[in-house]
Amino acid sequence: MTLGMVGLGRMGANILRRAMRAGIAGAGFDRDAGAVAALVAEGAAGADSLEGLVAILDAPRTVWVMLPAGEATEAALRELHALLAPGDTIIEGGNSLYKDSMRRAAEARAKGLHYLDVGTSGGVWGLGRGYCLMIGGDAAAVQAHEALWRALSPGEGAAPPTGGRERRDPRPEAGFVHCGPSGAGHYCKMIHNGIEYGMMQAMAEGLDLLRRGPFPELPLPDVTEAWRRGSVVSSWLLDLTAQALALDPDLTEYGGVVSDSGEGRWTVDAAVEHAVPAPVLAAALFARFRSRGTENFADKALSAMRKGFGGHLEPKAPDA
């Protein structure tokens, strides 16, 4: 199999690199010719159009679309529907709304194509650490790509075994899960990101309270470093926070304007639609809105975490 990647940004390029390092042939297309050239220099085949990308893939083809949610993804899918043949597979790995994924899967089926919605978590560290993959779609198409999921995921050694899983599906222990039918992968990733909002907000508010409480001399870089060892709040987010504080205890690099990329809003919408109480997730989303009008240490900490795991930079303007 040759994996064709559409979109060679922070995530798409590194997903293709990780697949190639595992022995899977890679090919890529991006409107930025420099991004294509960089992957070609590492052994990938390059294309200057979607048509050119499809032409260099052997049937049955697998094309992974890693573009911003919305019209960029829609346009690429429309063009791919006209270029691909029955039996080919489209993987959509961006942070798309799950309802869009359900519709797109039906449109692909009408063309005889397989469509897999794959929520992908791992950020800029995924190339080395591996990606957690949440997959929606037909079970046979998921199974047909198991070598790809195993190449991209962290593997069984990334976490200690969980007791009681002996009779359960072993694949999640490698870091990928078949969540269910079309749309389930992106729904799972949407909720994952909503939870992420809440976890980040709790940590940021706690740090702000430490900094502005009765002991302002508390050494936050040292406190967070100690928490990484044995504390029940230890996590990758805490690791990134401790690293940012070690480099700059006052987080002077950050203004505290915290963007939201859509999934938090969709999560709150889903909570309302299904009448599921989610006050923490909603409050975390609203706190991001508030950050665009004021500045405090909690918002700087949130910005530091976002840059740490995803390479997200603060917008230049409050409403950007």
Side-chain angles (χ1 to χ4, degrees):
M1 180 188 83
T2 298
L3 175 63
M5 180 65 67
V6 180
L8 301 176
R10 286 193 303 259
M11 291 288 286
N14 279 348
I15 289 171
L16 190 60
R17 287 186 175 101
R18 187 169 173 91
M20 290 166 57
R21 291 178 186 181
I24 295 173
F29 163 67
D30 193 283
R31 290 182 300 176
D32 180 357
V36 177
L39 268 296
V40 169
E42 297 177 38
D48 59 6
S49 65
L50 277 178
E51 183 177 8
L53 179 67
V54 170
I56 58 180
L57 301 177
D58 295 328
R61 303 168 186 86
T62 297
V63 179
W64 187 309
V65 177
M66 203 68 180
L67 296 170
E71 182 52 34
T73 293
E74 292 284 356
L77 293 177
R78 285 194 298 267
E79 189 170 351
L80 285 171
H81 287 174
L83 294 170
L84 296 174
D88 292 344
T89 299
I90 296 173
I91 298 171
E92 208 271 278
N95 284 324
S96 288
L97 179 62
Y98 73 98
K99 293 179 180 179
D100 288 338
S101 300
M102 296 169 69
R103 169 181 54 80
R104 292 165 179 168
E107 293 168 352
R109 277 194 300 272
K111 301 283 187 179
L113 304 172
H114 302 291
Y115 175 93
L116 299 175
D117 52 288
V118 181
T120 308
S121 182
V124 295
W125 298 85
L127 176 60
R129 291 168 54 105
Y131 300 91
C132 175
L133 305 172
M134 294 149 267
I135 310 165
D138 178 73
V142 174
Q143 180 64 36
H145 290 82
E146 180 151 348
L148 176 60
W149 316 137
R150 290 196 175 276
L152 296 178
S153 60
E156 287 83 353
T162 299
R165 285 199 55 88
E166 291 77 13
R167 297 184 180 181
R168 299 193 64 84
D169 183 349
R171 296 176 296 179
E173 296 172 32
F176 64 97
V177 55
H178 182 202
C179 298
S182 298
H186 279 153
Y187 184 81
C188 187
K189 179 58 162 49
M190 179 186 77
I191 302 303
H192 164 284
N193 283 21
I195 292 170
E196 175 188 295
Y197 277 39
M199 292 173 66
M200 292 171 66
Q201 187 65 32
M203 190 176 300
E205 290 178 8
L207 292 172
D208 197 25
L209 186 56
L210 285 172
R211 181 180 172 89
R212 297 201 286 169
F215 304 102
E217 72 278 7
L218 276 170
L220 291 190
D222 298 339
V223 170
T224 52
E225 186 63 30
W227 283 358
R228 295 180 60 222
R229 294 165 171 80
S231 165
V232 295
V233 298
S234 59
S235 64
W236 187 28
L237 288 173
L238 180 60
D239 293 344
L240 295 170
T241 304
Q243 183 178 55
L245 288 168
L247 294 172
D248 179 5
D250 294 320
L251 300 179
T252 54
E253 175 185 347
Y254 304 95
V257 177
V258 187
S259 297
D260 69 288
S261 51
E263 300 89 336
R265 301 184 190 211
W266 298 338
T267 299
V268 174
D269 287 345
V272 173
E273 182 177 354
H274 298 285
V276 175
V280 171
L281 307 189
L285 174 64
F286 296 152
R288 294 197 175 195
F289 297 163
R290 179 203 46 74
S291 78
R292 295 161 206 182
T294 61
E295 174 188 316
N296 64 33
F297 191 77
D299 296 332
K300 290 185 176 185
L302 284 173
S303 283
M305 283 183 255
R306 294 187 81 242
K307 182 180 179 183
F309 67 73
H312 304 292
L313 301 178
E314 288 184 352
K316 298 298 183 183
D319 296 326

